[in-house]
Amino acid sequence: MYRKVIFPVDLSHIDHLTKALATAADLAKHYDAEICYVGVTGTAPAPGAHSPAEYADKLAAFAAEQGSKHGVNATSKACTSPDPSIDTDKTLMTAITELGGDLVVMQTHAPSALDYIWAGHGDTIAAHADVSVFLVR
């Protein structure tokens, strides 16, 4: 049913993604699908990586670790944005289409009053993606 699972990941929040990572791996195993871990980074140096190339290397290492840990085919795609704070949703939507993903699995947070002002990334992707989106709380 699914061939390619897209998993948007923020490498600075890995410790909060345990349940979503396990869910994506379980679905990928069940459907013999690939998981592509997609991350968005800026062009300027940041605490997690000094350059987009360093970020891409860290994301590739993360994908390899997850693939080995869960026994799934895992790849990565690092996307660069001049300003990830405002471009992340658009950048992720473009990556989902370019990669040919047919399922997106994302970690999300419990809704709060603030979500009426600023939607979370998961909300936006679920509302606008042309593919199935599985939000994990």
Side-chain angles (χ1 to χ4, degrees), residues 1 5 10 14 19 24 38 56 61 73 78-79 86 94 101 103 107 115 119 134-137:
M1 181 174 209
V5 177
D10 181 342
I14 296 300
K19 188 174 177 183
V38 178
N73 180 20
C79 303
I86 60 169
T94 300
L103 174 65
Q107 183 73 43
D115 290 316
F134 190 139
L135 299 177
V136 179
R137 283 202 185 131

PDB file of all heavy atoms in Angstrom, residues 1 5 10 14 19 24 38 56 61 73 78-79 86 94 101 103 107 115 119 134-137:
ATOM      1  N   MET A   1       0.807  -1.184   0.000  1.00  0.00           N
ATOM      2  CA  MET A   1       0.000   0.000   0.000  1.00  0.00           C
ATOM      3  C   MET A   1       0.860   1.261   0.000  1.00  0.00           C
ATOM      4  O   MET A   1       0.590   2.188  -0.728  1.00  0.00           O
ATOM      5  CB  MET A   1      -0.931  -0.014   1.208  1.00  0.00           C
ATOM      6  CG  MET A   1      -1.830   1.165   1.292  1.00  0.00           C
ATOM      7  SD  MET A   1      -2.985   0.920   2.638  1.00  0.00           S
ATOM      8  CE  MET A   1      -4.337   1.836   2.022  1.00  0.00           C
ATOM      9  N   VAL A   5       7.790   6.241   2.925  1.00  0.00           N
ATOM     10  CA  VAL A   5       7.349   6.983   4.104  1.00  0.00           C
ATOM     11  C   VAL A   5       8.294   8.170   4.278  1.00  0.00           C
ATOM     12  O   VAL A   5       9.511   8.000   4.311  1.00  0.00           O
ATOM     13  CB  VAL A   5       7.382   6.096   5.366  1.00  0.00           C
ATOM     14  CG1 VAL A   5       6.999   6.899   6.605  1.00  0.00           C
ATOM     15  CG2 VAL A   5       6.498   4.875   5.200  1.00  0.00           C
ATOM     16  N   ASP A  10      13.569  16.984  13.100  1.00  0.00           N
ATOM     17  CA  ASP A  10      14.398  18.083  13.597  1.00  0.00           C
ATOM     18  C   ASP A  10      15.444  17.410  14.482  1.00  0.00           C
ATOM     19  O   ASP A  10      15.113  16.895  15.560  1.00  0.00           O
ATOM     20  CB  ASP A  10      13.539  19.065  14.381  1.00  0.00           C
ATOM     21  CG  ASP A  10      14.326  20.251  14.915  1.00  0.00           C
ATOM     22  OD1 ASP A  10      15.575  20.171  14.985  1.00  0.00           O
ATOM     23  OD2 ASP A  10      13.701  21.250  15.274  1.00  0.00           O
ATOM     24  N   ILE A  14      15.448  15.024  18.767  1.00  0.00           N
ATOM     25  CA  ILE A  14      15.389  13.574  18.602  1.00  0.00           C
ATOM     26  C   ILE A  14      14.782  12.894  19.828  1.00  0.00           C
ATOM     27  O   ILE A  14      14.009  11.944  19.707  1.00  0.00           O
ATOM     28  CB  ILE A  14      16.789  12.986  18.316  1.00  0.00           C
ATOM     29  CG1 ILE A  14      17.325  13.523  16.993  1.00  0.00           C
ATOM     30  CG2 ILE A  14      16.774  11.462  18.318  1.00  0.00           C
ATOM     31  CD1 ILE A  14      16.483  13.197  15.804  1.00  0.00           C
ATOM     32  N   LYS A  19       8.280   7.836  19.922  1.00  0.00           N
ATOM     33  CA  LYS A  19       7.043   7.151  19.533  1.00  0.00           C
ATOM     34  C   LYS A  19       6.801   7.254  18.025  1.00  0.00           C
ATOM     35  O   LYS A  19       6.432   6.271  17.376  1.00  0.00           O
ATOM     36  CB  LYS A  19       5.863   7.730  20.307  1.00  0.00           C
ATOM     37  CG  LYS A  19       4.575   6.970  20.133  1.00  0.00           C
ATOM     38  CD  LYS A  19       3.502   7.526  21.063  1.00  0.00           C
ATOM     39  CE  LYS A  19       2.183   6.829  20.871  1.00  0.00           C
ATOM     40  NZ  LYS A  19       1.130   7.418  21.708  1.00  0.00           N
ATOM     41  N   ALA A  24       6.765   4.988  12.493  1.00  0.00           N
ATOM     42  CA  ALA A  24       7.198   5.020  11.094  1.00  0.00           C
ATOM     43  C   ALA A  24       7.934   3.730  10.726  1.00  0.00           C
ATOM     44  O   ALA A  24       7.694   3.159   9.651  1.00  0.00           O
ATOM     45  CB  ALA A  24       8.091   6.231  10.847  1.00  0.00           C
ATOM     46  N   VAL A  38      13.596  13.530   6.382  1.00  0.00           N
ATOM     47  CA  VAL A  38      13.779  14.828   5.748  1.00  0.00           C
ATOM     48  C   VAL A  38      13.979  15.883   6.826  1.00  0.00           C
ATOM     49  O   VAL A  38      13.179  15.977   7.763  1.00  0.00           O
ATOM     50  CB  VAL A  38      12.564  15.199   4.866  1.00  0.00           C
ATOM     51  CG1 VAL A  38      12.738  16.573   4.255  1.00  0.00           C
ATOM     52  CG2 VAL A  38      12.351  14.146   3.787  1.00  0.00           C
ATOM     53  N   ALA A  56      23.663  17.793   6.490  1.00  0.00           N
ATOM     54  CA  ALA A  56      23.317  16.656   5.616  1.00  0.00           C
ATOM     55  C   ALA A  56      24.037  15.388   6.074  1.00  0.00           C
ATOM     56  O   ALA A  56      23.444  14.296   6.075  1.00  0.00           O
ATOM     57  CB  ALA A  56      23.667  16.983   4.167  1.00  0.00           C
ATOM     58  N   ALA A  61      23.704  10.133   8.759  1.00  0.00           N
ATOM     59  CA  ALA A  61      24.124   9.220   9.833  1.00  0.00           C
ATOM     60  C   ALA A  61      22.919   8.802  10.679  1.00  0.00           C
ATOM     61  O   ALA A  61      22.801   7.625  11.060  1.00  0.00           O
ATOM     62  CB  ALA A  61      25.186   9.886  10.705  1.00  0.00           C
ATOM     63  N   ASN A  73      14.821  -0.017   5.157  1.00  0.00           N
ATOM     64  CA  ASN A  73      15.591   0.753   4.191  1.00  0.00           C
ATOM     65  C   ASN A  73      15.388   2.231   4.504  1.00  0.00           C
ATOM     66  O   ASN A  73      14.269   2.733   4.407  1.00  0.00           O
ATOM     67  CB  ASN A  73      15.120   0.419   2.766  1.00  0.00           C
ATOM     68  CG  ASN A  73      15.878   1.190   1.713  1.00  0.00           C
ATOM     69  OD1 ASN A  73      16.971   1.695   1.960  1.00  0.00           O
ATOM     70  ND2 ASN A  73      15.295   1.284   0.540  1.00  0.00           N
ATOM     71  N   ALA A  78      18.407  16.291   3.091  1.00  0.00           N
ATOM     72  CA  ALA A  78      18.579  17.546   3.808  1.00  0.00           C
ATOM     73  C   ALA A  78      18.177  18.681   2.876  1.00  0.00           C
ATOM     74  O   ALA A  78      18.686  18.775   1.756  1.00  0.00           O
ATOM     75  CB  ALA A  78      20.023  17.708   4.259  1.00  0.00           C
ATOM     76  N   CYS A  79      17.274  19.506   3.329  1.00  0.00           N
ATOM     77  CA  CYS A  79      16.802  20.647   2.553  1.00  0.00           C
ATOM     78  C   CYS A  79      17.340  21.920   3.188  1.00  0.00           C
ATOM     79  O   CYS A  79      17.321  22.060   4.409  1.00  0.00           O
ATOM     80  CB  CYS A  79      15.282  20.691   2.544  1.00  0.00           C
ATOM     81  SG  CYS A  79      14.511  19.197   1.913  1.00  0.00           S
ATOM     82  N   ILE A  86      10.376  30.335   8.878  1.00  0.00           N
ATOM     83  CA  ILE A  86       9.159  30.648   8.127  1.00  0.00           C
ATOM     84  C   ILE A  86       8.951  29.750   6.910  1.00  0.00           C
ATOM     85  O   ILE A  86       7.857  29.699   6.370  1.00  0.00           O
ATOM     86  CB  ILE A  86       9.114  32.131   7.684  1.00  0.00           C
ATOM     87  CG1 ILE A  86      10.287  32.471   6.788  1.00  0.00           C
ATOM     88  CG2 ILE A  86       9.057  33.042   8.875  1.00  0.00           C
ATOM     89  CD1 ILE A  86      10.168  33.823   6.110  1.00  0.00           C
ATOM     90  N   THR A  94       7.434  20.611  -0.537  1.00  0.00           N
ATOM     91  CA  THR A  94       8.181  20.428  -1.781  1.00  0.00           C
ATOM     92  C   THR A  94       8.937  19.102  -1.752  1.00  0.00           C
ATOM     93  O   THR A  94       8.922  18.343  -2.723  1.00  0.00           O
ATOM     94  CB  THR A  94       9.146  21.599  -2.011  1.00  0.00           C
ATOM     95  OG1 THR A  94       8.384  22.809  -2.095  1.00  0.00           O
ATOM     96  CG2 THR A  94       9.962  21.415  -3.272  1.00  0.00           C
ATOM     97  N   GLY A 101       6.832  10.663  -1.924  1.00  0.00           N
ATOM     98  CA  GLY A 101       6.308  10.047  -0.703  1.00  0.00           C
ATOM     99  C   GLY A 101       4.814   9.801  -0.812  1.00  0.00           C
ATOM    100  O   GLY A 101       4.094  10.576  -1.427  1.00  0.00           O
ATOM    101  N   LEU A 103       3.205   8.499   2.168  1.00  0.00           N
ATOM    102  CA  LEU A 103       2.771   8.572   3.560  1.00  0.00           C
ATOM    103  C   LEU A 103       3.766   9.443   4.309  1.00  0.00           C
ATOM    104  O   LEU A 103       4.976   9.288   4.154  1.00  0.00           O
ATOM    105  CB  LEU A 103       2.722   7.178   4.208  1.00  0.00           C
ATOM    106  CG  LEU A 103       2.410   7.130   5.701  1.00  0.00           C
ATOM    107  CD1 LEU A 103       0.991   7.635   5.988  1.00  0.00           C
ATOM    108  CD2 LEU A 103       2.578   5.714   6.245  1.00  0.00           C
ATOM    109  N   GLN A 107       5.792  13.543  14.271  1.00  0.00           N
ATOM    110  CA  GLN A 107       5.502  13.772  15.681  1.00  0.00           C
ATOM    111  C   GLN A 107       4.746  15.089  15.785  1.00  0.00           C
ATOM    112  O   GLN A 107       5.006  16.025  15.042  1.00  0.00           O
ATOM    113  CB  GLN A 107       6.801  13.875  16.479  1.00  0.00           C
ATOM    114  CG  GLN A 107       6.614  14.044  17.962  1.00  0.00           C
ATOM    115  CD  GLN A 107       6.145  12.776  18.636  1.00  0.00           C
ATOM    116  OE1 GLN A 107       6.647  11.705  18.339  1.00  0.00           O
ATOM    117  NE2 GLN A 107       5.202  12.886  19.541  1.00  0.00           N
ATOM    118  N   ASP A 115      -2.312  27.158  19.140  1.00  0.00           N
ATOM    119  CA  ASP A 115      -2.494  26.561  17.811  1.00  0.00           C
ATOM    120  C   ASP A 115      -3.554  27.295  16.985  1.00  0.00           C
ATOM    121  O   ASP A 115      -3.589  27.161  15.766  1.00  0.00           O
ATOM    122  CB  ASP A 115      -2.857  25.081  17.926  1.00  0.00           C
ATOM    123  CG  ASP A 115      -1.690  24.258  18.421  1.00  0.00           C
ATOM    124  OD1 ASP A 115      -0.566  24.479  17.938  1.00  0.00           O
ATOM    125  OD2 ASP A 115      -1.896  23.424  19.309  1.00  0.00           O
ATOM    126  N   ALA A 119      -0.446  27.491  13.541  1.00  0.00           N
ATOM    127  CA  ALA A 119      -0.593  26.038  13.396  1.00  0.00           C
ATOM    128  C   ALA A 119       0.783  25.376  13.473  1.00  0.00           C
ATOM    129  O   ALA A 119       1.779  25.946  13.033  1.00  0.00           O
ATOM    130  CB  ALA A 119      -1.246  25.715  12.061  1.00  0.00           C
ATOM    131  N   PHE A 134       0.155  10.813   8.966  1.00  0.00           N
ATOM    132  CA  PHE A 134      -0.087  10.163  10.247  1.00  0.00           C
ATOM    133  C   PHE A 134       0.614  11.019  11.298  1.00  0.00           C
ATOM    134  O   PHE A 134       1.835  11.068  11.346  1.00  0.00           O
ATOM    135  CB  PHE A 134       0.511   8.754  10.205  1.00  0.00           C
ATOM    136  CG  PHE A 134       0.155   7.858  11.364  1.00  0.00           C
ATOM    137  CD1 PHE A 134      -0.138   6.535  11.129  1.00  0.00           C
ATOM    138  CD2 PHE A 134       0.146   8.301  12.673  1.00  0.00           C
ATOM    139  CE1 PHE A 134      -0.445   5.662  12.171  1.00  0.00           C
ATOM    140  CE2 PHE A 134      -0.159   7.459  13.723  1.00  0.00           C
ATOM    141  CZ  PHE A 134      -0.461   6.134  13.469  1.00  0.00           C
ATOM    142  N   LEU A 135      -0.161  11.702  12.142  1.00  0.00           N
ATOM    143  CA  LEU A 135       0.383  12.510  13.199  1.00  0.00           C
ATOM    144  C   LEU A 135       0.401  11.703  14.495  1.00  0.00           C
ATOM    145  O   LEU A 135      -0.624  11.156  14.898  1.00  0.00           O
ATOM    146  CB  LEU A 135      -0.435  13.791  13.401  1.00  0.00           C
ATOM    147  CG  LEU A 135      -0.493  14.719  12.187  1.00  0.00           C
ATOM    148  CD1 LEU A 135      -1.394  15.923  12.480  1.00  0.00           C
ATOM    149  CD2 LEU A 135       0.888  15.184  11.776  1.00  0.00           C
ATOM    150  N   VAL A 136       1.553  11.656  15.141  1.00  0.00           N
ATOM    151  CA  VAL A 136       1.734  10.844  16.335  1.00  0.00           C
ATOM    152  C   VAL A 136       1.903  11.768  17.532  1.00  0.00           C
ATOM    153  O   VAL A 136       2.741  12.646  17.531  1.00  0.00           O
ATOM    154  CB  VAL A 136       2.986   9.941  16.195  1.00  0.00           C
ATOM    155  CG1 VAL A 136       3.177   9.099  17.462  1.00  0.00           C
ATOM    156  CG2 VAL A 136       2.880   9.070  14.959  1.00  0.00           C
ATOM    157  N   ARG A 137       1.093  11.555  18.570  1.00  0.00           N
ATOM    158  CA  ARG A 137       1.221  12.341  19.813  1.00  0.00           C
ATOM    159  C   ARG A 137       1.935  11.516  20.853  1.00  0.00           C
ATOM    160  O   ARG A 137       1.863  10.378  20.989  1.00  0.00           O
ATOM    161  CB  ARG A 137      -0.146  12.719  20.367  1.00  0.00           C
ATOM    162  CG  ARG A 137      -0.724  13.827  19.605  1.00  0.00           C
ATOM    163  CD  ARG A 137      -1.785  14.547  20.452  1.00  0.00           C
ATOM    164  NE  ARG A 137      -2.359  15.528  19.562  1.00  0.00           N
ATOM    165  CZ  ARG A 137      -3.623  15.707  19.376  1.00  0.00           C
ATOM    166  NH1 ARG A 137      -4.498  15.015  20.043  1.00  0.00           N
ATOM    167  NH2 ARG A 137      -4.058  16.589  18.540  1.00  0.00           N
TER     168      ARG A 137
END
